[in-house]
Amino acid sequence: MATSQSITKVGVIGCGLMGSGIAEVCARSGNDVVVVESTDSAAAAGLDRLQRSLQRAQAKGRIDSAAEVLERITIGADLQALSDRELVVEAVAEDEQLKTSIFSALDEIVESPDAILASNTSSIPIMKLAVATQRPDSILGVHFFNPVPVLSLVELVPSLMTS
């Protein structure tokens, strides 16, 4: 994995409270963001959550245009949409089996060997997620704090194998 890289393509798995916030801050920073939810109805709910949050941010003068930020976000229910991402942040329920299956799938789907696969977990050891892949050196905990668009605090949690 490269020691320094510029990230412009971000993927987020899960568009609940945390995932939508992560997607929002990434898009507000100018990144192209693909969000994947488990179903089309969950994706629609996530889009609604994002629209409401961005409209509030615009009304408070924190961003110039909610529509402009939203244009950088694509939401769907297909993990294959993450194939070209440089950073993917998993933000699903705190279920170890679910998370390890997602990391195993991402290992196959995400094409770039330099891509960073991250989890927003606060309780599952990053090492357990890393060993579900063939690229444990690229796995990292990226623990955002809630509400993500308001709290500019991120905890980076490497495993012993993270490069």
Side-chain angles (χ1 to χ4, degrees):
M1 186 167 95
T3 57
S4 177
Q5 65 190 63
S6 177
I7 294 173
T8 60
K9 296 179 181 179
V10 177
V12 179
I13 302 174
C15 200
L17 187 61
M18 294 305 291
S20 65
I22 294 166
E24 180 179 332
V25 298
C26 290
R28 283 167 76 172
S29 296
N31 294 294
D32 173 55
V33 180
V34 172
V35 181
V36 176
E37 251 299 351
S38 57
T39 65
D40 289 333
S41 62
L47 176 59
D48 182 60
R49 183 178 292 107
L50 278 163
Q51 288 171 327
R52 286 183 284 120
S53 179
L54 288 167
Q55 288 166 353
R56 280 191 308 271
Q58 181 178 323
K60 292 180 180 181
R62 292 186 178 129
I63 59 173
D64 292 333
S65 170
E68 185 180 297
V69 174
L70 204 52
E71 285 177 9
R72 291 191 282 272
I73 302 173
T74 304
I75 301 177
D78 182 7
L79 275 177
Q80 294 295 328
L82 301 173
S83 65
D84 68 341
R85 302 290 96 179
E86 300 156 335
L87 167 66
V88 178
V89 181
E90 166 276 312
V92 301
E94 287 294 299
D95 177 314
E96 186 177 324
Q97 185 175 3
L98 174 61
K99 288 179 184 285
T100 55
S101 69
I102 287 171
F103 274 83
S104 181
L106 287 174
D107 192 38
E108 298 294 321
I109 292 168
V110 177
E111 296 166 356
S112 173
D114 291 335
I116 299 167
L117 306 182
S119 178
N120 189 56
T121 186
S122 58
S123 63
I124 298 170
I126 299 304
M127 181 73 81
K128 289 189 175 188
L129 303 175
V131 297
T133 73
Q134 297 299 309
R135 51 174 116 186
D137 62 324
S138 298
I139 311 304
L140 181 68
V142 180
H143 184 219
F144 290 82
F145 291 81
N146 189 34
V148 177
V150 176
L151 295 175
S152 57
L153 178 63
V154 178
E155 177 184 29
L156 300 179
V157 184
S159 78
L160 293 173
M161 300 168 84
T162 305
S163 66

